[in-house]
Amino acid sequence: MKNILVTGAAGFIGSRTCEKLTDYGYKVTAVDNINDYYDVRLKEYRLKRLAKKPVEFHKIDIENYIKLKNLFKEKKFDAVINLAARAGVRASIENPDIYFSTNVQGTLNLLKLCTEHKINKFVLASTSSLYSGEPTPFSEKCPVNEPISPYAASKKAAEAISYTYHYLYNIDVTVVRYFTVYGPAGRPDMSPLRFIHSIVEGKALKLFGDGNQSRDFTYIDDIAEGTIKALAPAGYEIINLGGGKNPLTINNFIKAIEEKTGKKAIIEKFSFNKADMKETMADISKAISLLGWKPVTEIDEGIGKTVEWYFENRDLMKGIDY
């Protein structure tokens, strides 16, 4: 039974990845600092659900090298999946420092400890936000040399230091670039859950831009599966995990939620943020060939499951700060 360290375990992707790892028989040690970037009640909800699984949880910030070092001494990890990160394009403009301290220094801390403890597998969560300005569909061969937000720049830096440690110390690294992940218990600052909340509760839905921008929406279970498959030996690889089909416009995403909820959106429009991207679409041929992975959840099914989850947890979600 392999012992996997998962960072960011109270997060949207981290918690689901931990659950699926235990389903596959892995031993999971999970860490998270449970920061208040968004409402901690949702993180506490995920941790309660995770407590039903054989997961050992530690409240640790990956920026805290001493606490991490003690954990690595105590445990013998076979691999590290680093899902701990400060996310959010707009928020990174307001507070870039925390993005670099977490996403870059935190990643460096983990890589140093992997080297010291001879842990040969490192999976790093990255982002499709790096592809800004590139033609779609986005291929991993794109140079991504011009990130347009501090968030994207910090993830690019994390990828770079991961390659450095692969080169110097032969750590096997797989970087997975995620494309607009959505699903039950998602982040309340992201459009899918925020839109569902606004439509269901009859509140104004804040739309930045004209809604014709499109996203390669990818369901959470598919993302968690791809992240686990990324534990396979790779050398050093960057792999897209996205829908891989025609992206959906924000306007059509809103219409799909309206159909599932039976309610009409009240839309309040704001100017398009220049740090946002007009379109994302993943070339997932590499994920198919190297990992044997492709998403199986169609957008209609995924939105339906997310809306159903919202209604089942409406009391919790009505009180969440969006």
Side-chain angles (χ1 to χ4, degrees):
M1 183 185 292
K2 289 190 174 181
N3 187 12
I4 311 296
L5 173 65
V6 179
T7 70
F12 178 34
I13 299 172
S15 61
R16 193 70 185 110
T17 300
C18 286
E19 289 176 344
K20 282 188 169 289
L21 280 166
T22 62
D23 292 342
Y24 289 130
Y26 289 97
K27 183 178 179 182
V28 178
T29 302
V31 304
D32 199 293
N33 69 350
I34 318 180
N35 66 59
D36 61 355
Y37 166 66
Y38 60 81
D39 201 315
V40 296
R41 285 172 289 184
L42 195 49
K43 298 180 181 184
E44 290 167 352
Y45 164 86
R46 299 188 193 118
L47 287 176
K48 285 180 182 177
R49 193 171 65 181
L50 204 57
K52 299 174 183 177
K53 298 282 188 176
V55 173
E56 182 180 317
F57 178 76
H58 298 262
K59 186 178 179 181
I60 295 176
D61 192 325
I62 63 169
E63 295 178 48
N64 191 323
Y65 184 78
I66 300 301
K67 285 190 175 181
L68 275 181
K69 187 178 181 69
N70 291 336
L71 183 66
F72 273 73
K73 282 182 179 179
E74 180 186 344
K75 306 292 179 183
K76 182 174 174 57
F77 299 122
D78 298 292
V80 173
I81 300 178
N82 182 22
L83 303 177
R86 289 282 181 160
V89 169
R90 298 185 193 108
S92 74
I93 297 172
E94 298 171 5
N95 187 9
D97 300 82
I98 191 65
Y99 280 75
F100 278 81
S101 60
T102 299
N103 299 354
V104 184
Q105 186 60 54
T107 298
L108 177 58
N109 287 344
L110 291 165
L111 287 165
K112 287 162 61 180
L113 289 166
C114 283
T115 303
E116 181 180 340
H117 293 271
K118 303 189 186 310
I119 300 164
N120 194 46
K121 185 65 196 187
F122 189 80
V123 177
L124 174 68
S126 193
T127 176
S128 61
S129 294
L130 286 171
Y131 290 117
S132 179
E134 298 294 335
T136 57
F138 298 142
S139 165
E140 296 90 344
K141 294 179 181 178
C142 294
V144 297
N145 290 326
E146 299 176 347
I148 62 172
S149 68
Y151 167 60
S154 69
K155 297 304 282 185
K156 175 66 176 176
E159 290 188 5
I161 194 62
S162 297
Y163 178 80
T164 301
Y165 270 70
H166 159 72
Y167 177 79
L168 291 176
Y169 304 107
N170 203 33
I171 295 177
D172 191 293
V173 175
T174 301
V175 176
V176 282
R177 288 178 177 165
Y178 297 140
F179 283 70
T180 314
V181 188
Y182 75 102
R187 280 171 41 202
D189 61 311
M190 289 185 66
S191 60
L193 207 59
R194 185 165 54 84
F195 287 177
I196 291 171
H197 169 75
S198 296
I199 292 170
V200 171
E201 308 303 338
K203 298 182 177 181
L205 182 158
K206 293 182 179 180
L207 178 63
F208 294 86
D210 60 9
N212 289 319
Q213 61 267 41
S214 59
R215 294 290 180 266
D216 199 348
F217 291 98
T218 318
Y219 191 65
I220 180 60
D221 284 8
D222 292 324
I223 287 292
E225 289 283 350
T227 303
I228 293 169
K229 285 182 178 292
L231 287 167
Y236 181 88
E237 291 288 352
I238 297 172
I239 302 176
N240 289 335
L241 297 183
K245 296 181 180 179
N246 293 328
L248 193 69
T249 67
I250 300 300
N251 286 330
N252 285 335
F253 192 81
I254 292 170
K255 287 179 183 178
I257 297 172
E258 290 176 329
E259 291 175 3
K260 296 296 182 183
T261 60
K263 298 190 176 186
K264 197 73 176 172
I266 303 167
I267 298 176
E268 185 179 359
K269 291 190 175 182
F270 293 83
S271 299
F272 181 78
N273 191 305
K274 67 184 296 185
D276 284 339
M277 298 171 69
K278 291 290 180 71
E279 180 183 24
T280 66
M281 182 181 178
D283 176 346
I284 60 170
S285 55
K286 201 171 180 182
I288 293 170
S289 62
L290 294 184
L291 302 181
W293 176 91
K294 62 180 179 180
V296 297
T297 309
E298 297 292 341
I299 188 72
D300 185 68
E301 178 189 359
I303 294 173
K305 287 181 176 179
T306 309
V307 168
E308 181 181 359
W309 177 87
Y310 182 91
F311 279 113
E312 289 173 353
N313 296 275
R314 193 173 179 182
D315 287 343
L316 167 68
M317 299 312 295
K318 281 197 295 186
I320 292 292
D321 182 6
Y322 291 82

